[in-house]
Amino acid sequence: MPVTAKLSKKFYERFGEDVTNELVNWFNAVDATYRTDLRELNETNFARFDAKLEQRLAELRTEVRTGLATLKGELVAEIGKLRTETTAAIAHAQSTTVKWMFEFWAPTAVGIVLTGVGVVALLLRH
C-alpha cells in the first residue's frame, strides 16, 4: 500500500514539491522492499515449519505403526492362549457331562432291570 503523505505548507514552502515527491517515493520504495522481505521471510519460515511438520508426522506414523505391530502380536498371542484355554474347558465340560450321565443312568438302568426281574418273578410264582 503506497504511502500518501500529507505534509504541512511550511514543508512544501521550505523544500518544494519535488523533494516532497521524492521523499514520498522513497518511503514507498522502502515500504515495498520491506514488504517483499517480509513476504520472503514468511515463506521461508513456512517452508521450515512445513518440513518440520512433515518430519514429525513421519516419525509419528512410524511410532504408530510400530505400536500397532506390537499390539497385533500381543493380541494374536492372547487369542491363541484363549483358544487353548477354551478348548480345554470344553473338553473338561464334555467329560464331566459324560460322567454325570453315566452316574445318573446307571442306577436308573439297574433299577429298571431289577423292577423287570421282580415283575417277571411275581408273574412266574402264580
Side-chain angles (χ1 to χ4, degrees):
M1 169 185 298
V3 174
T4 54
K6 183 173 182 182
L7 302 171
S8 68
K9 282 185 177 182
K10 285 184 182 181
F11 189 84
Y12 279 114
E13 290 170 0
R14 183 163 186 200
F15 295 105
E17 194 172 328
D18 292 337
V19 173
T20 305
N21 288 337
E22 233 179 276
L23 186 61
V24 169
N25 289 337
W26 179 79
F27 277 133
N28 286 335
V30 169
D31 181 55
T33 302
Y34 283 146
R35 284 178 185 267
T36 303
D37 290 349
L38 182 61
R39 184 176 295 117
E40 290 173 3
L41 182 62
N42 283 340
E43 288 174 359
T44 303
N45 285 338
F46 181 76
R48 278 191 291 176
F49 169 77
D50 195 36
K52 281 184 182 179
L53 181 63
E54 286 297 323
Q55 177 188 2
R56 289 181 182 160
L57 283 175
E59 291 170 0
L60 181 62
R61 281 187 200 109
T62 302
E63 288 178 23
V64 168
R65 285 183 182 138
T66 302
L68 286 176
T70 302
L71 182 62
K72 181 181 177 182
E74 291 172 0
L75 284 174
V76 167
E78 282 297 316
I79 288 171
K81 182 180 171 185
L82 286 172
R83 184 176 288 153
T84 302
E85 291 173 1
T86 304
T87 302
I90 289 172
H92 178 70
Q94 286 175 339
S95 67
T96 303
T97 303
V98 169
K99 181 179 104 178
W100 279 99
M101 285 174 57
F102 180 74
E103 288 177 2
F104 173 76
W105 286 108
T108 303
V110 169
I112 291 172
V113 169
L114 291 178
T115 302
V117 169
V119 170
V120 170
L122 284 174
L123 289 176
L124 289 178
R125 270 203 217 177
H126 280 168

